[in-house]
């Protein structure tokens, strides 16, 4: 069982029940060793569902733990994506959105997850999850996207910053290995990113956010797979497949999100055949860290509304 760091801050970050719900597992998907975690419901109810969770770029399953902790009646399954956290990188396959979709198919088959499964993706995970659903209609029952990447990252006001980030990852991949890894794992760069994204005024939660990024943002397999995954994250978006997402879709957006801006979330919601948009005020791209309670409440309501 994985130890859950409940923190020492005055702000309660996790309940005491999360550790007891947690089970760490491994499986092989197409010869790739995958680490995943299962969070069993505290009590099975008529509303209990199985939710497969796909984390964001450079994250791992730790990022969604505060949301899992709120959904005590749900069974959540959180793999580390290939190349991140405790999972191995793909062997001979590029780390593309299509490859990650193929991984989801194999992972669901390995665990016997059927079409009643709920699929949830955060940030880059929203791209992987939406493209998987578009390519595999009927594979899951509902789709939940938290901080979804709703528009092309290389276009619009944030395009310049994205292009600079591409140069950063390409430079790190070309440098001698030691220098390249040092650049990618620079705690100074990680902290700047963390400070930029955090919007909460709660000092304890800010401290927690920075500690999470410091601990897990550099848990990637190697430079090549990281560069491939980054290019996949900025070269694709949910809107590309919006019209093919005919199942019920919930979008949970942050009012102050500077990566997935709110105006694009409204445009994406309008393109979905059966979409719902809920906006959490005062938060940016870190809903999963800063505002897990309202996120869980919207998820619970959405699934109850679509229980049939």
């Amino acid at each position: 069982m994985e130890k859950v760091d409940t923190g020492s801050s005055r702000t309660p970050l996790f309940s005491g029940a999360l550790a007891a719900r947690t089970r760490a597992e491994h499986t092989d998907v197409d010869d790739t060793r995958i680490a995943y975690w299962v969070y069993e419901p505290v009590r099975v109810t008529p509303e209990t569902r199985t939710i497969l969770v796909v984390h964001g770029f450079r994250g791992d399953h730790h990022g969604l733990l505060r949301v899992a902790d709120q959904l005590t009646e749900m069974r959540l399954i959180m793999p580390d994506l290939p190349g991140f956290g405790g999972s191995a990188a793909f062997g001979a396959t590029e780390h593309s959105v299509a490859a990650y979709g193929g991984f989801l198919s194999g992972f669901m088959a390995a665990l016997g997850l059927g079409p009643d499964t709920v699929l949830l993706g955060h940030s880059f995970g929203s791209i992987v999850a939406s493209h998987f659903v578009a390519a595999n209609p009927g594979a899951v029952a509902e789709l939940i996207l938290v901080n979804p990447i709703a528009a092309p990252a290389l276009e619009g006001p944030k395009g310049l910053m994205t292009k600079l980030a591409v140069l950063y990852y390409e430079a790190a991949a070309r440098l001698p290995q030691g220098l390249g890894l040092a650049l990618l794992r620079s705690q100074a760069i990680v902290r700047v990113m963390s400070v930029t994204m955090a919007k909460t005024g709660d000092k304890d939660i800010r401290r927690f956010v920075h500690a999470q990024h410091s601990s897990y943002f550099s848990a990637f397999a190697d430079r090549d797979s990281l560069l491939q995954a980054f290019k996949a994250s900025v070269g694709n978006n949910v809107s590309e497949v919006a019209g093919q997402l005919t199942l019920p879709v919930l979008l949970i957006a942050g009012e102050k999100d500077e990566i997935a801006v709110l105006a694009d979330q409204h445009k994406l919601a309008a393109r979905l055949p059966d979409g719902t948009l809920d906006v959490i005020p005062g938060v940016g791209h870190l809903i999963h860290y800063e505002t897990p309670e309202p996120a869980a409440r919207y998820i619970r309501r959405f699934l109850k509304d679509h229980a049939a």
Side-chain angles (χ1 to χ4, degrees):
M1 180 182 296
E2 182 186 44
K3 180 180 179 181
V4 176
D5 181 7
T6 58
S8 58
S9 64
R10 292 182 297 275
T11 301
L13 297 174
F14 296 100
S15 73
L18 183 62
R21 296 174 57 200
T22 305
R23 187 174 78 253
E25 302 283 357
H26 287 82
T27 191
D28 291 321
V29 178
D30 295 330
D31 298 323
T32 301
R33 190 67 166 166
I34 300 298
Y36 69 96
W37 285 258
V38 180
Y39 303 88
E40 298 290 356
V42 171
R43 182 171 60 90
V44 175
T45 74
E47 283 74 43
T48 297
R49 300 288 301 278
T50 294
I51 305 176
L52 174 58
V53 179
V54 186
H55 63 75
F57 177 70
R58 284 191 72 162
D60 63 15
H61 71 285
H62 289 94
L64 279 298
L65 282 184
R66 296 198 73 206
V67 177
D69 193 24
Q70 293 293 318
L71 295 170
T72 57
E73 77 279 26
M74 302 295 176
R75 178 175 184 250
L76 294 99
I77 300 175
M78 299 187 183
D80 286 350
L81 287 175
F84 296 99
S87 295
F90 292 130
T93 303
E94 184 174 344
H95 294 71
S96 64
V97 170
Y100 281 121
F103 155 73
L104 285 182
S105 291
F107 184 76
M108 290 184 68
L111 271 63
L113 299 177
D116 57 340
T117 303
V118 181
L119 184 59
L120 184 154
H122 172 257
S123 191
F124 175 51
S126 74
I127 301 174
V128 173
S130 60
H131 281 248
F132 167 78
V133 168
N136 299 273
V140 298
E142 294 96 2
L143 178 64
I144 299 168
L145 305 178
V146 181
N147 294 120
I149 306 302
L154 293 168
E155 299 176 8
K158 61 184 182 296
L160 176 60
M161 293 304 297
T162 302
K163 290 171 184 175
L164 291 174
V166 172
L167 293 176
Y168 163 74
Y169 282 101
E170 288 181 337
R174 292 176 181 143
L175 287 169
Q177 181 169 325
L179 289 175
L181 289 174
L183 180 61
L184 289 170
R185 291 177 170 145
S186 165
Q187 286 295 302
I189 293 176
V190 170
R191 177 54 65 93
V192 169
M193 175 277 303
S194 189
V195 168
T196 300
M197 288 198 294
K199 304 301 179 187
T200 179
D202 187 309
K203 293 181 180 178
D204 293 329
I205 295 180
R206 287 184 71 89
R207 190 179 301 114
F208 169 75
V209 167
H210 299 331
Q212 290 285 296
H213 286 145
S214 177
S215 296
Y216 306 117
F217 204 65
S218 297
F220 53 86
D222 56 68
R223 294 182 295 168
D224 290 339
S225 62
L226 183 66
L227 175 61
Q228 293 167 11
F230 176 73
K231 288 185 174 180
S233 74
V234 299
N236 299 269
N237 63 83
V238 179
S239 292
E240 294 171 319
V241 295
Q244 299 166 255
L245 305 178
T246 56
L247 76 178
V249 180
L250 171 64
L251 309 177
I252 304 179
E255 176 194 23
K256 296 183 177 181
D257 196 335
E258 296 167 343
I259 294 175
V261 297
L262 186 55
D264 290 333
Q265 307 301 327
H266 284 286
K267 292 176 185 177
L268 173 59
R271 296 185 59 191
L272 294 169
D274 186 5
T276 300
L277 171 62
D278 284 313
V279 180
I280 301 178
V283 67
H285 203 63
L286 303 181
I287 285 173
H288 56 314
Y289 284 141
E290 297 182 14
T291 56
E293 297 91 346
R297 185 168 63 249
Y298 292 141
I299 291 169
R300 187 177 292 112
R301 185 187 66 191
F302 171 74
L303 295 180
K304 185 175 182 179
D305 288 345
H306 295 89

